[in-house]
Amino acid sequence: VVIFFQLYGYCYQDSNDIPDTLTTITELGSPLEMIQLLQTSWEDRFRICLSLVRLLHYLAHSPLGSVTLLDFRPRQFVIVDGELKVTDLDDASIEESSCTSNSDCFMEFPARNFTLPCSVEGRCQSMNEKRNLYNAYRFFFTYLLPHSAPPSLRPLLDKIVNATGNCNKHGNAEHFLFYLSPSVNTEFTQKCVKSANTKYRRVPEAFIPDENYRCWPSYHHKGCLLSVFDVNEAIEICDSYSQCKAFVLTNQTTWTGRQLVFFKMASNHIVPDPDKITYVKVTD
């Protein structure tokens, strides 16, 4: 996975009209707006955090050594196809701070401070990595991970967020990636085992174009489009909304493989669609 903004080409121009001008062509990304991210699904925010973990791992083990981003803030990143990428490397540094004692290895942040060990070589141990990690915690993890997370994942997420916030030995990027990645295919995508009390009539190759209602979080701003593991989970979600009277399984999936489903408040107008399956709630 590419973690840096891609440069496709550049052109240097030096003329009387436009002297010393460099034009670059890059991939198109969206500015990272934290308020907008908090309104997206937890699954999308989870993906962004995974992108950030890959970046932390690369910066800690780059060919140049451990690299720190001195200006590690949301404005330095963009979203490309759901992935987080760095756009500005002007403030990157490979220099580990020199020291004569532990007191020289002092990291100060607005909320808390850290003192790291001074190595026998006279360098502050892992200062670059720890600085990146804590900045990722205070600008990203603490907001994006716990908010509206699946209940089964919250104890694990609390452990991860606390570890990164403490910058302790269990808070490095490898540990974070080790614990977070498998949860995509276990707790978050686990099959719903609850039995449904409501009966639904299956209508193959059919779609309900209207009858939308809004829900949160939704992948569609004018309707209720959510991801599910299977039909049982879709039934459970529909049963939980009083206005839901039907749902439509699409052939689209999220990046984790969960199926996208439209939830509808009526089924008065059903049209043929070979790529969808509609389930209508049976009423007495």
Side-chain angles (χ1 to χ4, degrees), residues 27-138:
E27 63 181 332
L28 182 63
S30 302
L32 195 153
E33 299 289 345
M34 193 61 65
I35 294 179
Q36 293 180 2
L37 283 181
L38 291 175
Q39 296 173 348
T40 62
S41 69
W42 184 86
E43 192 175 2
D44 286 345
R45 285 182 272 118
F46 176 87
R47 185 181 186 183
I48 290 173
C49 289
L50 281 181
S51 303
L52 189 54
V53 167
R54 296 187 189 102
L55 172 64
L56 292 174
H57 180 83
Y58 179 84
L59 293 176
H61 304 89
S62 81
L64 298 176
S66 182
V67 180
T68 187
L69 301 181
L70 299 176
D71 191 11
F72 199 120
R73 285 185 283 182
R75 68 183 184 184
Q76 308 289 8
F77 299 86
V78 294
I79 304 294
V80 180
D81 296 330
E83 300 280 351
L84 190 72
K85 294 191 177 184
V86 183
T87 62
D88 190 349
L89 294 174
D90 289 347
D91 296 307
S93 174
I94 60 173
E95 294 295 327
E96 291 277 17
S97 299
S98 59
C99 59
T100 56
S101 66
N102 291 349
S103 60
D104 295 328
C105 302
F106 184 71
M107 291 197 305
E108 184 175 6
F109 296 98
R112 63 178 305 177
N113 304 319
F114 301 94
T115 300
L116 302 179
C118 180
S119 69
V120 293
E121 293 82 11
R123 296 290 178 180
C124 296
Q125 293 183 14
S126 304
M127 178 169 278
N128 286 348
E129 181 179 4
K130 299 295 185 182
R131 182 183 288 112
N132 290 337
L133 181 65
Y134 189 78
N135 280 327
Y137 157 79
R138 71 188 184 110

Side-chain angles (χ1 to χ4, degrees), residues 209-221:
D210 302 311
E211 309 295 349
N212 291 313
Y213 67 89
R214 293 183 179 181
C215 66
W216 185 90
S218 174
Y219 287 90
H220 193 281
H221 68 282

Side-chain angles (χ1 to χ4, degrees), residues 153-172:
L153 287 179
R154 286 173 187 167
L156 176 61
L157 294 172
D158 288 341
K159 179 179 180 182
I160 291 170
V161 172
N162 289 336
T164 55
N166 291 329
C167 273
N168 59 29
K169 65 180 180 179
H170 299 299
N172 54 55

